[in-house]
Amino acid sequence: MTDLNYPHYDVIIIGAGSIGAPTAFFLAKAGFKVLVIDKFPSVGQGSSKRAIGGIRATHSDPAKIRLCLRSIEIFSSWKENYGDDIDWFKGGYTFVAFRDQEEKTLKELLRKQKEFGLNIDWLDKEAFLEIVPDVNPDGLLGGTFSPDDGSASPLLATHSFYRQAVNLGAEFHFNESVEEIIISSGKIKAIKTNHATYGSDFLINAAGPWAKNVAKLADIDLPVNPDSHEAAITESVAHFLDPMVVDIRPQPGSSNFYFYQHSTGQIIFCITPKPNIWGFDVEETSSFLPMVAKRMIEVMPRLQNIRVRRTWRGLYPMTPDGFPIIGWAKNVEGFLHAAGTCGQGFMLGPGMGELLLRFVNNSLTAQDHEILPFVAPDRDFSGQELLK
Ligand SMILES: Cc1cc2nc3c(=O)[nH]c(=O)nc-3n(C[C@H](O)[C@H](O)[C@H](O)COP(=O)(O)OP(=O)(O)OC[C@H]3O[C@@H](n4cnc5c(N)ncnc54)[C@H](O)[C@@H]3O)c2cc1C
């Protein structure tokens, strides 16, 4: 307790999802007194549990490449370091090309991706078919393959970050909603929830698709909007596919789609609707499955008889340019944005958590400063991420 009549924390995080949970873990590990507040009853109940578990460093910009390379190091060594199995599987990612324009886009990106340390190469048709033997050979030109990418369980991973953070002394308050941000002389002072008031030196907005509403409590207009995406899982079949397969060809109704086989045999898949479906509605549509099924069978005819077991819908915390928003709020000292992770909030989580710790303890590195302009809250948002 401070001289004020409410408890005081070094850092308060709003949101116990795939960003808030690892951030709490890294802050608590560094000795900070941390409180995480979430309006839902347990960890990962917002967008995080709806992610399909893809983890890649294969992006088109240095910020996401660097952050995800670090995330992959953390995910892949997590069981060894902390004892919790999070279903990490290093199956790699493939981006497949059936048309010259996708081949050109993917090949152009390779230079930058390699420059930033990605283990990735272009495979011609024959070599690609060795990695993904069941991809449709008709019209196949080849694709990129990044063998160090993979997948893990968003629920297991987020729960593990949560448990480990709690072991290190972090507090989590569930079923509690942040309703007010108290600012004094331009500085974060406290927050009010529907239950209590808590003081803090730093406040992190990790509120996922609700980040705009949270920023509004500090009179900040943060361009993060909820963008609906649907996913599905099939019955389990014998193992035949290692990497995630991504097809970035736009088609009527969708701009890309991706799928992989989980280690337990199910195919898990997702599509990016075009135009975007904005809003907080998470009821599934009847148009998703016929649209994505048609595209998947086209790319992998072998999937035509597999049975779908369940579909679901969730929200991408979307930014206008497809890049996350990470950094200090302009006019409120101590307020840190960790939002707008779009379709990559699970894979960005651990790398972002460490970066947020470096913001808080004032230890940003020269490498951090190289990538921060790409995710800065005050950038002009006119760019476009090519591998959203
Ligand atoms: C179908 C689908 C597939 C996806 N696949 C992948 C994938 O393969 N790989 C990947 O990396 N990403 C994927 N994503 C994206 C990923 O799910 C999100 O980017 C990520 O979960 C965002 O994490 P977050 O912690 O920022 O948000 P969330 O998990 O939504 O957490 C935010 C939390 O903030 C809390 N909150 C908000 N406002 C308040 C308030 N006022 N008071 C208290 N609590 C509050 C909410 O209750 C919520 O729990 C997918 C998303 C969808 C929908």
Side-chain angles (χ1 to χ4, degrees), residues 13 18-28 30 67 70-71 74 161 204 326 336 338 341 345-361:
I13 300 170
S18 54
I19 301 301
T23 303
F25 167 77
F26 288 113
L27 284 164
L67 290 170
R70 181 61 191 138
S71 285
I74 296 166
F161 279 117
I204 299 182
I326 312 170
L336 195 46
T341 53
F346 175 52
M347 62 184 86
L348 281 163
M352 253 174 88
E354 281 190 341
L355 175 64
L356 293 164
L357 164 63
R358 295 195 291 277
F359 267 102
V360 169
N361 70 5

PDB file of all heavy atoms in Angstrom, residues 13 18-28 30 67 70-71 74 161 204 326 336 338 341 345-361:
ATOM      1  N   ILE A  13      -1.113  -4.541 -16.288  1.00  0.00           N
ATOM      2  CA  ILE A  13      -1.362  -4.942 -17.679  1.00  0.00           C
ATOM      3  C   ILE A  13      -2.864  -5.150 -17.840  1.00  0.00           C
ATOM      4  O   ILE A  13      -3.470  -5.880 -17.046  1.00  0.00           O
ATOM      5  CB  ILE A  13      -0.630  -6.265 -18.006  1.00  0.00           C
ATOM      6  CG1 ILE A  13       0.890  -6.102 -17.807  1.00  0.00           C
ATOM      7  CG2 ILE A  13      -0.935  -6.718 -19.429  1.00  0.00           C
ATOM      8  CD1 ILE A  13       1.668  -7.421 -17.875  1.00  0.00           C
ATOM      9  N   SER A  18      -2.562 -13.639 -25.188  1.00  0.00           N
ATOM     10  CA  SER A  18      -1.247 -14.122 -25.614  1.00  0.00           C
ATOM     11  C   SER A  18      -0.199 -13.013 -25.629  1.00  0.00           C
ATOM     12  O   SER A  18       0.986 -13.297 -25.813  1.00  0.00           O
ATOM     13  CB  SER A  18      -1.340 -14.802 -26.983  1.00  0.00           C
ATOM     14  OG  SER A  18      -1.927 -13.947 -27.915  1.00  0.00           O
ATOM     15  N   ILE A  19      -0.606 -11.766 -25.415  1.00  0.00           N
ATOM     16  CA  ILE A  19       0.361 -10.688 -25.205  1.00  0.00           C
ATOM     17  C   ILE A  19       0.532 -10.430 -23.700  1.00  0.00           C
ATOM     18  O   ILE A  19       1.651 -10.381 -23.180  1.00  0.00           O
ATOM     19  CB  ILE A  19      -0.077  -9.377 -25.916  1.00  0.00           C
ATOM     20  CG1 ILE A  19      -0.231  -9.622 -27.425  1.00  0.00           C
ATOM     21  CG2 ILE A  19       0.924  -8.247 -25.637  1.00  0.00           C
ATOM     22  CD1 ILE A  19       0.998 -10.104 -28.150  1.00  0.00           C
ATOM     23  N   GLY A  20      -0.583 -10.265 -22.987  1.00  0.00           N
ATOM     24  CA  GLY A  20      -0.511  -9.919 -21.558  1.00  0.00           C
ATOM     25  C   GLY A  20       0.162 -10.988 -20.711  1.00  0.00           C
ATOM     26  O   GLY A  20       0.948 -10.671 -19.807  1.00  0.00           O
ATOM     27  N   ALA A  21      -0.118 -12.270 -20.995  1.00  0.00           N
ATOM     28  CA  ALA A  21       0.420 -13.338 -20.134  1.00  0.00           C
ATOM     29  C   ALA A  21       1.947 -13.444 -20.222  1.00  0.00           C
ATOM     30  O   ALA A  21       2.621 -13.429 -19.184  1.00  0.00           O
ATOM     31  CB  ALA A  21      -0.269 -14.673 -20.445  1.00  0.00           C
ATOM     32  N   PRO A  22       2.541 -13.536 -21.439  1.00  0.00           N
ATOM     33  CA  PRO A  22       4.007 -13.578 -21.465  1.00  0.00           C
ATOM     34  C   PRO A  22       4.653 -12.287 -20.946  1.00  0.00           C
ATOM     35  O   PRO A  22       5.710 -12.325 -20.326  1.00  0.00           O
ATOM     36  CB  PRO A  22       4.361 -13.805 -22.945  1.00  0.00           C
ATOM     37  CG  PRO A  22       3.117 -13.648 -23.718  1.00  0.00           C
ATOM     38  CD  PRO A  22       1.968 -13.787 -22.787  1.00  0.00           C
ATOM     39  N   THR A  23       3.977 -11.150 -21.185  1.00  0.00           N
ATOM     40  CA  THR A  23       4.540  -9.879 -20.687  1.00  0.00           C
ATOM     41  C   THR A  23       4.592  -9.906 -19.165  1.00  0.00           C
ATOM     42  O   THR A  23       5.595  -9.503 -18.550  1.00  0.00           O
ATOM     43  CB  THR A  23       3.688  -8.698 -21.198  1.00  0.00           C
ATOM     44  OG1 THR A  23       3.651  -8.767 -22.624  1.00  0.00           O
ATOM     45  CG2 THR A  23       4.287  -7.367 -20.782  1.00  0.00           C
ATOM     46  N   ALA A  24       3.524 -10.401 -18.532  1.00  0.00           N
ATOM     47  CA  ALA A  24       3.508 -10.515 -17.067  1.00  0.00           C
ATOM     48  C   ALA A  24       4.635 -11.426 -16.605  1.00  0.00           C
ATOM     49  O   ALA A  24       5.318 -11.147 -15.612  1.00  0.00           O
ATOM     50  CB  ALA A  24       2.157 -11.063 -16.608  1.00  0.00           C
ATOM     51  N   PHE A  25       4.837 -12.516 -17.346  1.00  0.00           N
ATOM     52  CA  PHE A  25       5.894 -13.470 -16.976  1.00  0.00           C
ATOM     53  C   PHE A  25       7.268 -12.784 -16.997  1.00  0.00           C
ATOM     54  O   PHE A  25       8.025 -12.854 -16.025  1.00  0.00           O
ATOM     55  CB  PHE A  25       5.873 -14.670 -17.940  1.00  0.00           C
ATOM     56  CG  PHE A  25       7.082 -15.541 -17.842  1.00  0.00           C
ATOM     57  CD1 PHE A  25       7.226 -16.439 -16.789  1.00  0.00           C
ATOM     58  CD2 PHE A  25       8.099 -15.445 -18.787  1.00  0.00           C
ATOM     59  CE1 PHE A  25       8.366 -17.230 -16.682  1.00  0.00           C
ATOM     60  CE2 PHE A  25       9.237 -16.225 -18.685  1.00  0.00           C
ATOM     61  CZ  PHE A  25       9.379 -17.125 -17.637  1.00  0.00           C
ATOM     62  N   PHE A  26       7.581 -12.092 -18.099  1.00  0.00           N
ATOM     63  CA  PHE A  26       8.922 -11.497 -18.198  1.00  0.00           C
ATOM     64  C   PHE A  26       9.112 -10.358 -17.187  1.00  0.00           C
ATOM     65  O   PHE A  26      10.204 -10.193 -16.637  1.00  0.00           O
ATOM     66  CB  PHE A  26       9.199 -11.029 -19.639  1.00  0.00           C
ATOM     67  CG  PHE A  26       9.406 -12.173 -20.579  1.00  0.00           C
ATOM     68  CD1 PHE A  26       8.502 -12.443 -21.590  1.00  0.00           C
ATOM     69  CD2 PHE A  26      10.499 -13.029 -20.428  1.00  0.00           C
ATOM     70  CE1 PHE A  26       8.676 -13.526 -22.442  1.00  0.00           C
ATOM     71  CE2 PHE A  26      10.689 -14.116 -21.271  1.00  0.00           C
ATOM     72  CZ  PHE A  26       9.773 -14.360 -22.284  1.00  0.00           C
ATOM     73  N   LEU A  27       8.054  -9.585 -16.937  1.00  0.00           N
ATOM     74  CA  LEU A  27       8.165  -8.497 -15.951  1.00  0.00           C
ATOM     75  C   LEU A  27       8.350  -9.068 -14.545  1.00  0.00           C
ATOM     76  O   LEU A  27       9.193  -8.596 -13.773  1.00  0.00           O
ATOM     77  CB  LEU A  27       6.912  -7.614 -16.007  1.00  0.00           C
ATOM     78  CG  LEU A  27       6.833  -6.648 -17.196  1.00  0.00           C
ATOM     79  CD1 LEU A  27       5.411  -6.121 -17.362  1.00  0.00           C
ATOM     80  CD2 LEU A  27       7.792  -5.471 -17.006  1.00  0.00           C
ATOM     81  N   ALA A  28       7.560 -10.103 -14.218  1.00  0.00           N
ATOM     82  CA  ALA A  28       7.667 -10.689 -12.874  1.00  0.00           C
ATOM     83  C   ALA A  28       9.043 -11.335 -12.697  1.00  0.00           C
ATOM     84  O   ALA A  28       9.657 -11.229 -11.637  1.00  0.00           O
ATOM     85  CB  ALA A  28       6.555 -11.717 -12.665  1.00  0.00           C
ATOM     86  N   ALA A  30      11.726 -10.356 -13.959  1.00  0.00           N
ATOM     87  CA  ALA A  30      12.721  -9.283 -13.759  1.00  0.00           C
ATOM     88  C   ALA A  30      12.522  -8.579 -12.416  1.00  0.00           C
ATOM     89  O   ALA A  30      13.211  -7.602 -12.125  1.00  0.00           O
ATOM     90  CB  ALA A  30      12.628  -8.283 -14.911  1.00  0.00           C
ATOM     91  N   LEU A  67      11.005 -10.028 -33.873  1.00  0.00           N
ATOM     92  CA  LEU A  67      10.233 -10.394 -32.672  1.00  0.00           C
ATOM     93  C   LEU A  67       9.853 -11.867 -32.706  1.00  0.00           C
ATOM     94  O   LEU A  67       9.918 -12.569 -31.694  1.00  0.00           O
ATOM     95  CB  LEU A  67       8.983  -9.513 -32.547  1.00  0.00           C
ATOM     96  CG  LEU A  67       9.249  -8.044 -32.202  1.00  0.00           C
ATOM     97  CD1 LEU A  67       7.973  -7.213 -32.337  1.00  0.00           C
ATOM     98  CD2 LEU A  67       9.800  -7.921 -30.772  1.00  0.00           C
ATOM     99  N   ARG A  70      12.685 -14.357 -32.049  1.00  0.00           N
ATOM    100  CA  ARG A  70      12.893 -14.498 -30.596  1.00  0.00           C
ATOM    101  C   ARG A  70      11.761 -15.343 -29.983  1.00  0.00           C
ATOM    102  O   ARG A  70      12.028 -16.207 -29.140  1.00  0.00           O
ATOM    103  CB  ARG A  70      12.961 -13.100 -29.948  1.00  0.00           C
ATOM    104  CG  ARG A  70      13.192 -13.125 -28.462  1.00  0.00           C
ATOM    105  CD  ARG A  70      14.524 -13.780 -28.059  1.00  0.00           C
ATOM    106  NE  ARG A  70      14.571 -14.016 -26.629  1.00  0.00           N
ATOM    107  CZ  ARG A  70      15.035 -15.113 -26.046  1.00  0.00           C
ATOM    108  NH1 ARG A  70      15.545 -16.097 -26.765  1.00  0.00           N
ATOM    109  NH2 ARG A  70      15.025 -15.243 -24.740  1.00  0.00           N
ATOM    110  N   SER A  71      10.523 -15.101 -30.432  1.00  0.00           N
ATOM    111  CA  SER A  71       9.413 -15.924 -29.927  1.00  0.00           C
ATOM    112  C   SER A  71       9.680 -17.408 -30.178  1.00  0.00           C
ATOM    113  O   SER A  71       9.434 -18.245 -29.311  1.00  0.00           O
ATOM    114  CB  SER A  71       8.098 -15.554 -30.619  1.00  0.00           C
ATOM    115  OG  SER A  71       7.602 -14.342 -30.144  1.00  0.00           O
ATOM    116  N   ILE A  74      11.920 -18.895 -27.745  1.00  0.00           N
ATOM    117  CA  ILE A  74      11.275 -19.081 -26.429  1.00  0.00           C
ATOM    118  C   ILE A  74      10.292 -20.252 -26.466  1.00  0.00           C
ATOM    119  O   ILE A  74      10.307 -21.118 -25.597  1.00  0.00           O
ATOM    120  CB  ILE A  74      10.589 -17.766 -25.985  1.00  0.00           C
ATOM    121  CG1 ILE A  74      11.640 -16.673 -25.792  1.00  0.00           C
ATOM    122  CG2 ILE A  74       9.776 -17.976 -24.698  1.00  0.00           C
ATOM    123  CD1 ILE A  74      11.086 -15.259 -25.672  1.00  0.00           C
ATOM    124  N   PHE A 161       2.412 -19.548 -19.553  1.00  0.00           N
ATOM    125  CA  PHE A 161       2.959 -18.217 -19.204  1.00  0.00           C
ATOM    126  C   PHE A 161       2.270 -17.678 -17.950  1.00  0.00           C
ATOM    127  O   PHE A 161       2.904 -17.102 -17.072  1.00  0.00           O
ATOM    128  CB  PHE A 161       2.774 -17.228 -20.359  1.00  0.00           C
ATOM    129  CG  PHE A 161       3.815 -17.367 -21.431  1.00  0.00           C
ATOM    130  CD1 PHE A 161       3.468 -17.744 -22.726  1.00  0.00           C
ATOM    131  CD2 PHE A 161       5.145 -17.110 -21.164  1.00  0.00           C
ATOM    132  CE1 PHE A 161       4.427 -17.880 -23.714  1.00  0.00           C
ATOM    133  CE2 PHE A 161       6.126 -17.239 -22.146  1.00  0.00           C
ATOM    134  CZ  PHE A 161       5.759 -17.627 -23.420  1.00  0.00           C
ATOM    135  N   ILE A 204       0.078  -1.072 -19.219  1.00  0.00           N
ATOM    136  CA  ILE A 204       0.244  -1.657 -20.561  1.00  0.00           C
ATOM    137  C   ILE A 204      -1.121  -2.034 -21.127  1.00  0.00           C
ATOM    138  O   ILE A 204      -1.890  -2.769 -20.502  1.00  0.00           O
ATOM    139  CB  ILE A 204       1.167  -2.897 -20.509  1.00  0.00           C
ATOM    140  CG1 ILE A 204       2.555  -2.482 -19.988  1.00  0.00           C
ATOM    141  CG2 ILE A 204       1.284  -3.525 -21.894  1.00  0.00           C
ATOM    142  CD1 ILE A 204       3.575  -3.612 -19.936  1.00  0.00           C
ATOM    143  N   ILE A 326       3.384  -0.903 -30.949  1.00  0.00           N
ATOM    144  CA  ILE A 326       4.149  -1.149 -29.718  1.00  0.00           C
ATOM    145  C   ILE A 326       4.934   0.118 -29.393  1.00  0.00           C
ATOM    146  O   ILE A 326       5.745   0.575 -30.204  1.00  0.00           O
ATOM    147  CB  ILE A 326       5.149  -2.324 -29.896  1.00  0.00           C
ATOM    148  CG1 ILE A 326       4.474  -3.540 -30.546  1.00  0.00           C
ATOM    149  CG2 ILE A 326       5.764  -2.695 -28.547  1.00  0.00           C
ATOM    150  CD1 ILE A 326       5.437  -4.637 -30.981  1.00  0.00           C
ATOM    151  N   LEU A 336       1.832   2.341 -22.089  1.00  0.00           N
ATOM    152  CA  LEU A 336       2.516   1.599 -23.143  1.00  0.00           C
ATOM    153  C   LEU A 336       1.501   0.809 -23.976  1.00  0.00           C
ATOM    154  O   LEU A 336       0.734   0.017 -23.434  1.00  0.00           O
ATOM    155  CB  LEU A 336       3.500   0.638 -22.444  1.00  0.00           C
ATOM    156  CG  LEU A 336       4.612  -0.056 -23.206  1.00  0.00           C
ATOM    157  CD1 LEU A 336       5.374   0.883 -24.122  1.00  0.00           C
ATOM    158  CD2 LEU A 336       5.578  -0.707 -22.203  1.00  0.00           C
ATOM    159  N   ALA A 338       0.549  -2.152 -26.451  1.00  0.00           N
ATOM    160  CA  ALA A 338       1.033  -3.479 -26.876  1.00  0.00           C
ATOM    161  C   ALA A 338      -0.147  -4.122 -27.590  1.00  0.00           C
ATOM    162  O   ALA A 338      -0.739  -5.089 -27.120  1.00  0.00           O
ATOM    163  CB  ALA A 338       1.455  -4.290 -25.661  1.00  0.00           C
ATOM    164  N   THR A 341      -2.029  -6.635 -32.920  1.00  0.00           N
ATOM    165  CA  THR A 341      -1.171  -7.719 -33.416  1.00  0.00           C
ATOM    166  C   THR A 341      -1.802  -8.499 -34.572  1.00  0.00           C
ATOM    167  O   THR A 341      -1.244  -9.505 -35.023  1.00  0.00           O
ATOM    168  CB  THR A 341      -0.825  -8.702 -32.270  1.00  0.00           C
ATOM    169  OG1 THR A 341      -2.054  -9.123 -31.658  1.00  0.00           O
ATOM    170  CG2 THR A 341       0.060  -8.044 -31.226  1.00  0.00           C
ATOM    171  N   GLY A 345      -0.834 -12.375 -33.099  1.00  0.00           N
ATOM    172  CA  GLY A 345      -0.635 -12.070 -31.680  1.00  0.00           C
ATOM    173  C   GLY A 345      -0.114 -13.232 -30.855  1.00  0.00           C
ATOM    174  O   GLY A 345       0.547 -13.024 -29.837  1.00  0.00           O
ATOM    175  N   PHE A 346      -0.401 -14.446 -31.283  1.00  0.00           N
ATOM    176  CA  PHE A 346       0.122 -15.593 -30.538  1.00  0.00           C
ATOM    177  C   PHE A 346       1.630 -15.716 -30.780  1.00  0.00           C
ATOM    178  O   PHE A 346       2.422 -15.800 -29.840  1.00  0.00           O
ATOM    179  CB  PHE A 346      -0.635 -16.859 -30.941  1.00  0.00           C
ATOM    180  CG  PHE A 346      -0.084 -18.110 -30.319  1.00  0.00           C
ATOM    181  CD1 PHE A 346       0.111 -18.205 -28.952  1.00  0.00           C
ATOM    182  CD2 PHE A 346       0.249 -19.210 -31.120  1.00  0.00           C
ATOM    183  CE1 PHE A 346       0.634 -19.360 -28.378  1.00  0.00           C
ATOM    184  CE2 PHE A 346       0.765 -20.366 -30.552  1.00  0.00           C
ATOM    185  CZ  PHE A 346       0.968 -20.435 -29.181  1.00  0.00           C
ATOM    186  N   MET A 347       2.011 -15.670 -32.058  1.00  0.00           N
ATOM    187  CA  MET A 347       3.435 -15.856 -32.375  1.00  0.00           C
ATOM    188  C   MET A 347       4.283 -14.672 -31.916  1.00  0.00           C
ATOM    189  O   MET A 347       5.463 -14.815 -31.623  1.00  0.00           O
ATOM    190  CB  MET A 347       3.624 -16.121 -33.877  1.00  0.00           C
ATOM    191  CG  MET A 347       3.174 -15.014 -34.792  1.00  0.00           C
ATOM    192  SD  MET A 347       3.325 -15.452 -36.548  1.00  0.00           S
ATOM    193  CE  MET A 347       1.789 -16.296 -36.914  1.00  0.00           C
ATOM    194  N   LEU A 348       3.688 -13.480 -31.827  1.00  0.00           N
ATOM    195  CA  LEU A 348       4.455 -12.306 -31.394  1.00  0.00           C
ATOM    196  C   LEU A 348       4.623 -12.250 -29.872  1.00  0.00           C
ATOM    197  O   LEU A 348       5.514 -11.571 -29.354  1.00  0.00           O
ATOM    198  CB  LEU A 348       3.738 -11.019 -31.848  1.00  0.00           C
ATOM    199  CG  LEU A 348       3.913 -10.624 -33.313  1.00  0.00           C
ATOM    200  CD1 LEU A 348       2.846  -9.600 -33.716  1.00  0.00           C
ATOM    201  CD2 LEU A 348       5.305 -10.037 -33.546  1.00  0.00           C
ATOM    202  N   GLY A 349       3.735 -12.949 -29.143  1.00  0.00           N
ATOM    203  CA  GLY A 349       3.627 -12.783 -27.688  1.00  0.00           C
ATOM    204  C   GLY A 349       4.942 -12.793 -26.907  1.00  0.00           C
ATOM    205  O   GLY A 349       5.283 -11.805 -26.260  1.00  0.00           O
ATOM    206  N   PRO A 350       5.718 -13.896 -26.948  1.00  0.00           N
ATOM    207  CA  PRO A 350       6.925 -13.939 -26.128  1.00  0.00           C
ATOM    208  C   PRO A 350       7.964 -12.874 -26.529  1.00  0.00           C
ATOM    209  O   PRO A 350       8.539 -12.211 -25.666  1.00  0.00           O
ATOM    210  CB  PRO A 350       7.474 -15.347 -26.371  1.00  0.00           C
ATOM    211  CG  PRO A 350       6.301 -16.139 -26.843  1.00  0.00           C
ATOM    212  CD  PRO A 350       5.429 -15.187 -27.582  1.00  0.00           C
ATOM    213  N   GLY A 351       8.181 -12.699 -27.829  1.00  0.00           N
ATOM    214  CA  GLY A 351       9.137 -11.672 -28.285  1.00  0.00           C
ATOM    215  C   GLY A 351       8.696 -10.289 -27.857  1.00  0.00           C
ATOM    216  O   GLY A 351       9.500  -9.465 -27.402  1.00  0.00           O
ATOM    217  N   MET A 352       7.392 -10.040 -27.972  1.00  0.00           N
ATOM    218  CA  MET A 352       6.863  -8.736 -27.548  1.00  0.00           C
ATOM    219  C   MET A 352       6.959  -8.569 -26.039  1.00  0.00           C
ATOM    220  O   MET A 352       7.241  -7.488 -25.537  1.00  0.00           O
ATOM    221  CB  MET A 352       5.397  -8.603 -27.975  1.00  0.00           C
ATOM    222  CG  MET A 352       5.206  -7.658 -29.137  1.00  0.00           C
ATOM    223  SD  MET A 352       3.502  -7.667 -29.718  1.00  0.00           S
ATOM    224  CE  MET A 352       2.736  -6.422 -28.694  1.00  0.00           C
ATOM    225  N   GLY A 353       6.722  -9.646 -25.294  1.00  0.00           N
ATOM    226  CA  GLY A 353       6.782  -9.580 -23.830  1.00  0.00           C
ATOM    227  C   GLY A 353       8.158  -9.123 -23.370  1.00  0.00           C
ATOM    228  O   GLY A 353       8.284  -8.252 -22.503  1.00  0.00           O
ATOM    229  N   GLU A 354       9.195  -9.683 -23.973  1.00  0.00           N
ATOM    230  CA  GLU A 354      10.562  -9.270 -23.605  1.00  0.00           C
ATOM    231  C   GLU A 354      10.824  -7.824 -24.011  1.00  0.00           C
ATOM    232  O   GLU A 354      11.472  -7.073 -23.279  1.00  0.00           O
ATOM    233  CB  GLU A 354      11.578 -10.178 -24.292  1.00  0.00           C
ATOM    234  CG  GLU A 354      11.745 -11.511 -23.617  1.00  0.00           C
ATOM    235  CD  GLU A 354      12.948 -12.289 -24.175  1.00  0.00           C
ATOM    236  OE1 GLU A 354      13.420 -11.961 -25.299  1.00  0.00           O
ATOM    237  OE2 GLU A 354      13.395 -13.210 -23.509  1.00  0.00           O
ATOM    238  N   LEU A 355      10.319  -7.447 -25.195  1.00  0.00           N
ATOM    239  CA  LEU A 355      10.518  -6.059 -25.655  1.00  0.00           C
ATOM    240  C   LEU A 355       9.830  -5.074 -24.699  1.00  0.00           C
ATOM    241  O   LEU A 355      10.382  -4.031 -24.353  1.00  0.00           O
ATOM    242  CB  LEU A 355       9.961  -5.914 -27.078  1.00  0.00           C
ATOM    243  CG  LEU A 355       9.964  -4.504 -27.676  1.00  0.00           C
ATOM    244  CD1 LEU A 355      11.397  -3.984 -27.836  1.00  0.00           C
ATOM    245  CD2 LEU A 355       9.266  -4.475 -29.042  1.00  0.00           C
ATOM    246  N   LEU A 356       8.638  -5.439 -24.236  1.00  0.00           N
ATOM    247  CA  LEU A 356       7.902  -4.543 -23.327  1.00  0.00           C
ATOM    248  C   LEU A 356       8.648  -4.403 -21.993  1.00  0.00           C
ATOM    249  O   LEU A 356       8.675  -3.328 -21.402  1.00  0.00           O
ATOM    250  CB  LEU A 356       6.476  -5.061 -23.118  1.00  0.00           C
ATOM    251  CG  LEU A 356       5.615  -5.002 -24.388  1.00  0.00           C
ATOM    252  CD1 LEU A 356       4.366  -5.868 -24.242  1.00  0.00           C
ATOM    253  CD2 LEU A 356       5.217  -3.576 -24.732  1.00  0.00           C
ATOM    254  N   LEU A 357       9.269  -5.494 -21.559  1.00  0.00           N
ATOM    255  CA  LEU A 357      10.105  -5.402 -20.353  1.00  0.00           C
ATOM    256  C   LEU A 357      11.226  -4.371 -20.574  1.00  0.00           C
ATOM    257  O   LEU A 357      11.500  -3.550 -19.709  1.00  0.00           O
ATOM    258  CB  LEU A 357      10.699  -6.788 -20.023  1.00  0.00           C
ATOM    259  CG  LEU A 357      11.867  -6.792 -19.037  1.00  0.00           C
ATOM    260  CD1 LEU A 357      11.437  -6.279 -17.656  1.00  0.00           C
ATOM    261  CD2 LEU A 357      12.476  -8.195 -18.897  1.00  0.00           C
ATOM    262  N   ARG A 358      11.837  -4.412 -21.770  1.00  0.00           N
ATOM    263  CA  ARG A 358      12.941  -3.467 -22.027  1.00  0.00           C
ATOM    264  C   ARG A 358      12.434  -2.024 -22.087  1.00  0.00           C
ATOM    265  O   ARG A 358      13.151  -1.097 -21.737  1.00  0.00           O
ATOM    266  CB  ARG A 358      13.692  -3.858 -23.315  1.00  0.00           C
ATOM    267  CG  ARG A 358      14.412  -5.198 -23.204  1.00  0.00           C
ATOM    268  CD  ARG A 358      15.430  -5.402 -24.314  1.00  0.00           C
ATOM    269  NE  ARG A 358      14.850  -5.587 -25.630  1.00  0.00           N
ATOM    270  CZ  ARG A 358      14.387  -6.741 -26.115  1.00  0.00           C
ATOM    271  NH1 ARG A 358      14.440  -7.839 -25.360  1.00  0.00           N
ATOM    272  NH2 ARG A 358      13.885  -6.827 -27.328  1.00  0.00           N
ATOM    273  N   PHE A 359      11.189  -1.822 -22.535  1.00  0.00           N
ATOM    274  CA  PHE A 359      10.610  -0.467 -22.460  1.00  0.00           C
ATOM    275  C   PHE A 359      10.521  -0.039 -20.996  1.00  0.00           C
ATOM    276  O   PHE A 359      10.924   1.052 -20.629  1.00  0.00           O
ATOM    277  CB  PHE A 359       9.188  -0.464 -23.052  1.00  0.00           C
ATOM    278  CG  PHE A 359       9.123  -0.116 -24.513  1.00  0.00           C
ATOM    279  CD1 PHE A 359       8.962  -1.100 -25.476  1.00  0.00           C
ATOM    280  CD2 PHE A 359       9.187   1.216 -24.927  1.00  0.00           C
ATOM    281  CE1 PHE A 359       8.882  -0.784 -26.824  1.00  0.00           C
ATOM    282  CE2 PHE A 359       9.104   1.542 -26.270  1.00  0.00           C
ATOM    283  CZ  PHE A 359       8.960   0.541 -27.216  1.00  0.00           C
ATOM    284  N   VAL A 360       9.975  -0.941 -20.175  1.00  0.00           N
ATOM    285  CA  VAL A 360       9.683  -0.578 -18.784  1.00  0.00           C
ATOM    286  C   VAL A 360      10.976  -0.356 -18.000  1.00  0.00           C
ATOM    287  O   VAL A 360      11.078   0.596 -17.219  1.00  0.00           O
ATOM    288  CB  VAL A 360       8.791  -1.664 -18.123  1.00  0.00           C
ATOM    289  CG1 VAL A 360       8.687  -1.456 -16.625  1.00  0.00           C
ATOM    290  CG2 VAL A 360       7.399  -1.646 -18.744  1.00  0.00           C
ATOM    291  N   ASN A 361      11.966  -1.229 -18.192  1.00  0.00           N
ATOM    292  CA  ASN A 361      13.187  -1.021 -17.384  1.00  0.00           C
ATOM    293  C   ASN A 361      14.258  -0.219 -18.129  1.00  0.00           C
ATOM    294  O   ASN A 361      15.426  -0.236 -17.755  1.00  0.00           O
ATOM    295  CB  ASN A 361      13.726  -2.346 -16.810  1.00  0.00           C
ATOM    296  CG  ASN A 361      14.324  -3.252 -17.884  1.00  0.00           C
ATOM    297  OD1 ASN A 361      14.420  -2.866 -19.044  1.00  0.00           O
ATOM    298  ND2 ASN A 361      14.703  -4.457 -17.492  1.00  0.00           N
TER     299      ASN A 361
END
